[in-house]
Amino acid sequence: MLATAHWQIFMTRRHAHIYLHASVGVWVFCSELSFGLCGGLSNLYCAITLWALFQRSGFGKGDGIAMQITKGGADCNTVPSLNFETHHGGEAESIDESGSKPKVFKPCNPRFTDYTPCQDQKRAMTFPRENMIYRERHCPPEQEKLHCLIPAPKGYVTPFPWPKSRDYVPFANAPYKSLTVEKAIQNWIQYEGNVFRFPGGGTQFPQGADKYIDQLASVIPIENGTVRTALDTGCGVASWGAYLLSRKVIAMSFAPRDSHEAQVQFALERGVPAVIGVLGSIKLPYPSRAFDMAHCSRCLIPWGANDGMYLMEVDRVLRPGGYWVLSGPPINWKNNYKSWQRPREELQEEQRKIEEVAKLLCWEKMSEKGEIAIWRKRLNGDSCPGRRDVTQATFCKSVKADDVWYEKMEACITPYPDSSPDEVAGGELKPFPERLYSVPPRIASGSVPGVAVETYQEDNSKWKKHVNAYKKINKLIDSGRYRNIMDMNAGLGGFAAALESPKLWVMNVVPTVAEKNTLGVIYERGLIGIYHDWCEGFSTYPRTYDLIHAYGVFSLYKDRCNEEDILLEMDRILRPEGAVIFRDEVDVLIKMKKIVGGMRWDTKMVDHEDGPLVPEKILIAVKQYWVAGGNSTSAQ
């Protein structure tokens, strides 16, 4: 057979490809798009299949990804070709996979390169300015949805790998220079040739984020794993979150889409967790008691306004014993009112209101030094004697503190869960990384209906097995190639826990239509996530995730909304050459495979790791590289 086969090698602008033309007249293709495995090839063919890959990166240099894929040789036994006729004949024969051609989705007009459907600027300006309502989520009605593919800008390149990406972002990926002018003296961002450089500075940390975090660590136990999850309100380009990562603290950063152009986009290009968001009139999309620390550095939120409503919302999402950091105005107003160019009386009243609300919340002030003030939330209700006697304190009546999707924010205090005087309300957490696999308090207490301790442990074992299988299929996982990862239907967070690595982070999404509300469990494990309804656009810029995991998403949303809309949204937020892992029933995946056939995705169906008799299958997809201004006609 080897004597009659021959090789054909050709180069493209982005890759070197190798084809093997066998004697039986079949062409077989291997490249990065097939993840280092050769699917249906025989072991003999796989043993001799090698290829080169020239991956574009920020400076246009190869990054050697092919060596990571091929190290150790191709392992074709792990991805056998599916045989539907043998094992799933009825299901497969009832779905005509090849009879009709897939619908072809055209590229959108280049003006939509940075389109964020639910934070569209033009639509936002039609809403009231009061309480930042216009900066909140306002999704387009069905007739205004785009049914086209969002293009990448010309010159788009693969971001630098972490940790280099923390400091450098290719200019072509987010070509906006206004921040380099607006924040020039504050050391946020600098433009250097074909890249932006992020020196780690900020308005409140001119000596750099590391030095600033050192100041916080003198009061807050940041280094020992006690503080693991953090919330950064009004994050800018998320340098605070970026520098916390080296201390094993993961921050959920958010900022509105505003006149500063692409703050959140810059954060995600750097490889730092962030979403578009604002403290306005709607509750934050996070569960109660989620974060070990919350932070505001000149975030411009009027903390004393609306009867302290915004501080009460921070209190809701802050874990008992958690810390709140406020740096900048009005802290130390006596020494700074002139440089801030604000009246003394105004700043004094602003701080008075903050102190008043903090006392109402029963936060203990731990420190005020320079322009940094730190408060700590009490461990339980009993540690705050007399608060219920304060006439100004209004307690939230709803027992559903985690029911927040599009729910109006209220000026009320979320009660602590019941506990004895010597306990941490809601349960004490172990330090990270031990808490990643210890039993979360919400599960130990039976707060998640239908999820017992045994269920949780079985789920962890299942996801360890699934992730091991994914790594055999796609050898780029955990190589550093995929930094920003999303789990669209995160469950108990088992996928993210099994992937846990300093090379990557996972945005765990709990759909609002999910049978069980598990996001609180995910945070108790030391992971981060968000509530979302996949019938709508996600609160992020295009091209901000490297790998998307979709477990049971399309079964969950069957008959709820159009699966084309969900797939187009996945395409919007996925980077060129990013990957998707679908795990679902075979009939669902065959339908998805056909739709994405018109979306410039390359796909491969593989069996469940337990063999071909299991009806659940895996569909692997990779988004092709293409940019605005190609040969295809633009839509809309």
Side-chain angles (χ1 to χ4, degrees):
M1 177 178 275
L2 286 177
T4 58
H6 65 274
W7 296 91
Q8 181 172 342
I9 303 175
F10 70 93
M11 300 291 297
T12 67
R13 186 170 61 91
R14 293 191 50 75
H15 302 292
H17 298 299
I18 298 181
Y19 279 69
L20 172 63
H21 184 204
S23 59
V24 293
V26 177
W27 288 92
V28 183
F29 169 54
C30 287
S31 76
E32 183 198 13
L33 302 183
S34 57
F35 312 111
L37 299 174
C38 303
L41 291 177
S42 68
N43 288 337
L44 181 59
Y45 278 15
C46 281
I48 60 173
T49 301
L50 298 173
W51 68 91
L53 171 68
F54 293 87
Q55 171 71 37
R56 289 167 65 96
S57 64
F59 289 118
K61 297 176 181 178
D63 59 12
I65 288 175
M67 296 302 295
Q68 297 297 321
I69 307 171
T70 57
K71 196 173 290 182
D75 180 6
C76 293
N77 286 325
T78 59
V79 192
S81 295
L82 295 180
N83 185 344
F84 293 112
E85 293 181 358
T86 302
H87 303 296
H88 301 284
E91 295 171 353
E93 287 170 8
S94 66
I95 301 171
D96 183 5
E97 191 180 356
S98 59
S100 59
K101 292 183 178 180
K103 174 183 175 181
V104 176
F105 295 89
K106 294 180 179 180
C108 301
N109 189 289
R111 73 175 182 272
F112 292 109
T113 293
D114 290 326
Y115 180 62
T116 54
C118 296
Q119 285 90 8
D120 180 65
Q121 291 282 69
K122 186 176 180 181
R123 186 180 301 106
M125 300 308 288
T126 65
F127 288 88
R129 301 290 200 280
E130 181 187 4
N131 291 336
M132 295 290 283
I133 290 173
Y134 76 117
R135 292 297 183 199
E136 293 181 322
R137 287 176 57 84
H138 303 290
C139 300
E142 190 64 35
Q143 64 271 19
E144 291 181 22
K145 288 183 178 179
L146 298 183
H147 295 282
C148 50
L149 304 176
I150 301 295
K154 287 183 179 180
Y156 178 88
V157 294
T158 303
F160 300 110
W162 184 267
K164 186 176 182 178
S165 65
R166 186 193 70 182
D167 303 326
Y168 294 95
V169 165
F171 171 75
N173 291 13
Y176 307 113
K177 294 182 181 179
S178 71
L179 275 180
T180 65
V181 178
E182 285 189 47
K183 306 296 182 182
I185 63 171
Q186 295 166 8
N187 224 20
W188 275 31
I189 179 174
Q190 297 171 358
Y191 176 62
E192 299 178 356
N194 62 345
V195 299
F196 289 113
R197 186 169 73 87
F198 296 83
T203 311
Q204 284 304 125
F205 26 96
Q207 293 180 301
D210 252 344
K211 294 288 186 184
Y212 175 81
I213 293 170
D214 284 341
Q215 291 178 276
L216 304 185
S218 67
V219 179
I220 302 171
I222 288 175
E223 305 292 344
N224 65 5
T226 302
V227 171
R228 163 62 179 174
T229 56
L231 179 70
D232 193 11
T233 56
C235 65
V237 295
S239 286
W240 186 70
Y243 280 83
L244 278 173
L245 285 166
S246 64
R247 306 180 193 225
K248 297 183 173 59
V249 177
I250 186 166
M252 171 68 79
S253 301
F254 71 84
R257 177 161 188 162
D258 61 10
S259 59
H260 288 165
E261 290 180 324
Q263 295 180 92
V264 167
Q265 189 176 22
F266 278 129
L268 287 154
E269 284 291 323
R270 297 174 72 184
V272 181
V275 292
I276 302 172
V278 65
L279 263 173
S281 65
I282 303 296
K283 292 182 179 180
L284 295 172
Y286 314 115
S288 60
R289 310 190 313 279
F291 298 98
D292 301 310
M293 174 170 56
H295 174 258
C296 161
S297 171
R298 281 211 183 193
C299 60
L300 304 180
I301 295 171
W303 293 112
N306 298 324
D307 299 318
M309 182 172 70
Y310 299 136
L311 274 179
M312 291 174 183
E313 179 65 358
V314 170
D315 180 74
R316 181 186 70 82
V317 301
L318 196 61
R319 185 163 292 128
Y323 299 85
W324 185 58
V325 179
L326 174 63
S327 65
I331 304 303
N332 200 12
W333 58 269
K334 291 179 182 178
N335 294 324
N336 292 303
Y337 73 94
K338 288 183 179 178
S339 61
W340 289 338
Q341 297 181 341
R342 290 181 59 187
R344 286 173 55 105
E345 297 76 19
E346 179 183 292
L347 288 162
Q348 183 179 16
E349 177 62 11
E350 190 176 321
Q351 179 149 1
R352 187 195 66 78
K353 286 184 177 180
I354 291 171
E355 302 279 4
E356 185 178 84
V357 177
K359 183 178 179 181
L360 201 62
L361 295 169
C362 212
W363 291 359
E364 178 186 3
K365 195 167 193 180
M366 305 292 292
S367 170
E368 182 174 331
K369 188 176 181 180
E371 294 176 23
I372 302 174
I374 301 172
W375 286 262
R376 190 182 188 202
K377 183 176 177 177
R378 303 280 183 169
L379 292 175
N380 53 46
D382 289 306
S383 61
C384 186
R387 183 169 77 169
R388 292 183 180 275
D389 297 331
V390 178
T391 55
Q392 303 98 315
T394 302
F395 289 86
C396 303
K397 296 176 182 178
S398 172
V399 295
K400 296 182 179 179
D402 296 350
D403 186 10
V404 297
W405 188 245
Y406 284 123
E407 290 293 324
K408 288 286 185 182
M409 207 182 299
E410 299 175 88
C412 62
I413 302 170
T414 303
Y416 283 98
D418 291 334
S419 62
S420 63
D422 57 346
E423 289 181 333
V424 178
E428 187 173 0
L429 295 178
K430 296 185 182 299
F432 192 84
E434 189 180 352
R435 76 168 71 164
L436 188 62
Y437 280 106
S438 62
V439 178
R442 278 174 166 90
I443 290 178
S445 65
S447 300
V448 184
V451 181
V453 172
E454 295 77 14
T455 311
Y456 168 73
Q457 292 168 340
E458 289 169 4
D459 188 76
N460 286 334
S461 298
K462 178 184 76 173
W463 282 107
K464 285 178 181 178
K465 184 174 73 171
H466 287 344
V467 168
N468 283 336
Y470 293 159
K471 289 179 178 179
K472 291 177 181 178
I473 298 168
N474 181 348
K475 293 186 178 181
L476 293 175
I477 294 176
D478 204 26
S479 70
R481 172 62 175 84
Y482 303 131
R483 171 68 182 172
N484 304 353
I485 297 178
M486 174 180 284
D487 191 357
M488 294 177 67
N489 185 19
L492 299 172
F495 170 77
L499 272 180
E500 174 61 28
S501 165
K503 299 175 186 175
L504 55 84
W505 59 271
V506 179
M507 179 67 75
N508 293 281
V509 179
V510 173
T512 56
V513 301
E515 182 182 346
K516 295 179 176 67
N517 185 348
T518 54
L519 193 54
V521 170
I522 287 168
Y523 274 94
E524 287 180 344
R525 301 187 71 170
L527 304 168
I528 59 168
I530 194 168
Y531 294 113
H532 183 64
D533 182 356
W534 285 111
C535 292
E536 300 179 356
F538 193 74
S539 293
T540 192
Y541 283 82
R543 304 172 300 282
T544 44
Y545 286 88
D546 305 295
L547 175 68
I548 298 175
H549 181 243
Y551 170 55
V553 172
F554 292 91
S555 290
L556 180 64
Y557 276 90
K558 186 178 181 181
D559 301 325
R560 294 182 187 272
C561 52
N562 190 335
E563 61 266 10
E564 282 188 7
D565 289 344
I566 299 177
L567 288 166
L568 286 169
E569 177 62 6
M570 292 169 69
D571 181 82
R572 184 186 75 86
I573 67 179
L574 185 65
R575 295 192 191 280
E577 297 181 319
V580 179
I581 302 173
F582 298 88
R583 180 182 284 270
D584 219 312
E585 297 295 309
V586 63
D587 55 338
V588 173
L589 293 187
I590 289 174
K591 187 176 182 181
M592 296 305 105
K593 186 175 188 294
K594 185 170 183 178
I595 295 174
V596 303
M599 289 174 53
R600 304 189 183 196
W601 290 12
D602 295 304
T603 60
K604 180 174 183 61
M605 190 97 76
V606 301
D607 275 319
H608 189 283
E609 58 268 18
D610 288 340
L613 295 178
V614 182
E616 184 179 274
K617 304 296 177 187
I618 303 167
L619 177 64
I620 308 296
V622 173
K623 180 178 175 178
Q624 297 173 10
Y625 176 90
W626 63 277
V627 299
N631 294 327
S632 300
T633 304
S634 296
Q636 305 192 40

